[in-house]
Amino acid sequence: MSASLVLRRRLAAELRALRIAHRLSQDDVARELEVSSNKIVRIENAQSTVSTSDLKQLLLLFQVGTEDRDRLLDLGRDARKRGGWWSAYTDLLPGPYVQLESAAAEIRNYQPTLLPGLLQTPGYAHATMQSFGSALAAEEAERRVNARLQRQARLTAEDPLTLHAIVDEVVLWRIAGQSQIAEEQFRHLIEMATLDNIHLRVIPYAAGLYASAGNSFAILTFHDPIDPDVVMVENRAGERYFDAAHEVAGFHSDFRHIINAALSEDTTLDLLRKALSGKMGS
């Protein structure tokens, strides 16, 4: 798996479980390894990689058997691997989201004000960047769009990402008001929405003040059940991540409430076709 962050999270979870099983605190482990407590905290939060020497000491401390020891050492080596297309965009994409997205099997995305990046055309992406209020250099804007297109490749790959996307109807009206990008964007949405792995639904104005409306969020689910779901919430202050089971369960509940307010996939497609023909709202 190319997303080292996902493997780092998996290793961190196993090391944390081993420590708890041995009834050791993070301070206890730090003293045994003669390192700072902060280092153990960072390892268990997947905020830093674990060197081979540190990992061997941890596994010795936790009295891990040969088979599990070899498995965890292999996992540690894989988690330290660097790479992926995003490496060329680390100055633009400093957070962990793209790595998590690249390894996800399924994403549930709620966007009340903009289209999800995975469904944006280059024209729409450029327009949203211009709307942020700070002018981007042409080269940087182009790199940001290229990065977005790289992300979108997962939707049509051999083992495609499954995307459940919910947007508010106001998003469609905003697109319709941008004549230079509207036709291309609506055609693209219709094409994407007909793929088996993409489930696009619109929340109509008629839904009123629907339950769980608020900031956009994405729930990422991974191929291996051992990797817990991650939620990313985005607002003006930046990105926040949640992976505690009770927090993630709350977002899953919110997503179900939002789906209940949305049109069906077929009705959403009809609405998109009306928007393309200029008959939306008629």
Side-chain angles (χ1 to χ4, degrees):
M1 182 183 295
S2 60
S4 60
L5 177 60
V6 174
L7 299 185
R8 200 160 73 228
R9 290 176 65 243
R10 186 182 303 175
L11 178 62
E14 296 215 36
L15 292 175
R16 183 167 55 250
L18 285 168
R19 175 180 60 77
I20 293 171
H22 283 75
R23 298 182 179 179
L24 295 170
S25 69
Q26 292 175 328
D27 288 338
D28 292 334
V29 174
R31 280 192 294 270
E32 289 290 337
L33 269 63
E34 297 183 342
V35 299
S36 69
S37 297
N38 184 58
K39 182 173 184 176
I40 304 303
V41 171
R42 289 181 63 81
I43 287 172
E44 291 195 1
N45 289 337
Q47 294 173 324
S48 63
T49 56
V50 190
S51 68
T52 299
S53 60
D54 284 344
L55 183 53
K56 286 180 177 178
Q57 289 185 68
L58 286 167
L59 298 180
L60 181 63
L61 175 64
F62 299 146
Q63 302 175 347
V64 176
T66 302
E67 184 175 341
D68 282 339
R69 178 181 180 276
D70 291 343
R71 177 180 62 80
L72 290 172
L73 286 172
D74 285 342
L75 180 57
R77 278 190 289 271
D78 289 340
R80 287 190 297 275
K81 291 178 180 177
R82 304 292 181 183
W85 64 263
W86 55 86
S87 298
Y89 299 93
T90 51
D91 56 324
L92 303 179
L93 306 169
Y97 185 77
V98 172
Q99 283 195 55
L100 292 168
E101 183 183 80
S102 73
E106 192 167 1
I107 294 178
R108 294 170 177 84
N109 195 180
Y110 164 59
Q111 288 277 10
T113 57
L114 292 171
L115 285 177
L118 288 173
L119 296 176
Q120 294 179 9
T121 61
Y124 183 94
H126 275 294
T128 59
M129 291 174 197
Q130 291 169 3
S131 71
F132 291 156
S134 56
L136 295 176
E139 182 180 355
E140 180 180 342
E142 197 60 35
R143 288 183 66 220
R144 288 182 180 275
V145 171
N146 287 339
R148 199 155 296 182
L149 293 176
Q150 291 269 22
R151 291 172 54 205
Q152 293 175 6
R154 282 289 324 276
L155 295 174
T156 52
E158 186 173 341
D159 179 23
L161 171 70
T162 297
L163 175 64
H164 302 268
I166 304 178
V167 300
D168 199 286
E169 186 176 350
V170 68
V171 175
L172 303 187
W173 283 99
R174 287 186 174 130
I175 297 171
Q178 300 287 323
S179 57
Q180 69 274 25
I181 63 171
E183 181 176 349
E184 180 187 30
Q185 183 62 75
F186 283 132
R187 288 189 186 280
H188 182 68
L189 287 175
I190 292 168
E191 179 183 357
M192 292 292 100
T194 57
L195 298 179
D196 292 339
N197 59 304
I198 297 179
H199 309 279
L200 176 61
R201 300 176 68 167
V202 168
I203 302 172
Y205 283 131
L209 298 175
Y210 55 91
S212 301
N215 291 325
S216 62
F217 65 87
I219 307 171
L220 297 92
T221 300
F222 302 92
H223 291 280
D224 197 321
I226 198 173
D227 298 318
D229 290 359
V230 178
V231 177
M232 187 274 284
V233 177
E234 188 175 17
N235 56 35
R236 288 185 63 85
E239 298 173 352
R240 290 189 63 197
Y241 292 86
F242 304 87
D243 60 5
H246 69 281
E247 294 171 330
V248 172
F251 282 100
H252 275 290
S253 176
D254 287 348
F255 199 80
R256 287 192 294 271
H257 288 152
I258 294 168
I259 277 184
N260 289 337
L263 301 173
S264 69
E265 292 179 44
D266 287 342
T267 307
T268 293
L269 263 175
D270 290 341
L271 184 61
L272 291 172
R273 292 182 178 116
K274 286 182 178 179
L276 179 61
S277 66
K279 296 178 180 178
M280 190 168 66
S282 61

